[in-house]
Amino acid sequence: KAFSIPDAGVNAVAFNVKGDLFALADGKGHAGIYQADQGDLVKKFDGGSPIEIVRFSATNEFLTVDDKGACAVWDLNHDTPLQRMNEGGALVNDAEFSPDGNSIAATTADGKLLLWATQNPIQCQTSTEEKPPNATPSLGPPLDLNSTSPVPHGLLTVDFSPDGKFIAAGTDDGAVCIWDCSNGKQLLRRFCIEERVTALHYSPDGQLLAYGTDAGNLYLWDVEKINKSSAEVAALVSKVISNPPV
């Protein structure tokens, strides 16, 4: 099946968890949800500005991030966003839903890792104003996970561990950082060799973290014992694969 977005171009694409839906986003601020088997259009969204990132949650909510850094959460039952975040904030380089869909993590160009809680009011401030029945709950302001351990350079990529307990992010000065989602504590920061970390992902079992750099290197890091002491973490061995095949 071939799809065409005339005069706009495809900026981002993503499948949902079940694989029966996929999303396309274009350079004019439009996003469409399609059936994977027949390619029929299910829903169309208008984000206003060119959309750079699209993501599905485990519950089929849909995240868009535009070229100005504004994030929006949508679902298939509404034509307008359920919530908007980071409007007027720093540019967002990457964003992900947590495995359970209850949180959204975003990395920004000014070195912040932001975590919005979508379900748990303990993790974010909520408005004290009384809300009308059936009003969309606010995600609240994000947790700034760098409040005690700032990252001085921009964060480029982010991923949740499969169990949702940890967040890993890569920086533009060659560092990989890992945070504890329960308290926002940065557990460690590991530097590569003056390489920008441009891609990062946990293995399905959460034991390995793979991250790639703009120098063409892929690093595999054993993070199974990431919740142990810093001394144990520092002793973990990273296997380096140089210039992986394209």
Side-chain angles (χ1 to χ4, degrees), residues 22 24 26 32 37 42 84 87 112 130 137 152 168 175 200 228:
F22 69 92
L24 292 177
D26 66 25
D37 54 354
V42 176
R84 295 184 183 272
E87 292 186 304
K112 291 182 179 180
E130 184 175 354
L200 177 146
K228 302 296 184 181

Side-chain angles (χ1 to χ4, degrees), residues 172-183:
D172 62 6
D173 69 336
V176 173
C177 309
I178 296 180
W179 289 264
D180 185 331
C181 292
S182 65
N183 56 25

Side-chain angles (χ1 to χ4, degrees), residues 173-227:
D173 69 336
V176 173
C177 309
I178 296 180
W179 289 264
D180 185 331
C181 292
S182 65
N183 56 25
K185 180 181 179 182
Q186 186 179 124
L187 301 178
L188 61 97
R189 189 183 311 170
R190 178 175 184 149
F191 284 91
C192 304
I193 307 174
E194 297 183 356
E195 301 170 13
R196 301 172 74 241
V197 180
T198 52
L200 177 146
H201 201 71
Y202 275 96
S203 62
D205 59 9
Q207 295 185 11
L208 296 175
L209 182 67
Y211 54 97
T213 72
D214 61 351
N217 296 322
L218 174 67
Y219 296 79
L220 295 179
W221 188 6
D222 182 356
V223 292
E224 182 180 8
K225 298 180 179 180
I226 199 63
N227 59 340

Side-chain angles (χ1 to χ4, degrees), residues 9 16 25 29 46 48 51 62 67 70 72 77-78 90-91 94 107 116 119 124 152 162 165 187 209 220 236-237 244:
N16 69 344
D46 185 3
I51 296 172
F62 181 60
D67 63 345
N77 300 318
H78 298 85
L91 294 180
D94 196 11
T107 52
W116 288 281
Q119 302 289 334
C124 65
K165 294 181 179 179
L187 301 178
L209 182 67
L220 295 179
L236 294 176
V237 179

Side-chain angles (χ1 to χ4, degrees), residues 134-155:
N134 302 321
T136 300
S138 172
L139 296 183
L143 291 177
D144 181 352
L145 297 192
N146 295 309
S147 58
T148 57
S149 302
V151 177
H153 295 270
L155 289 166

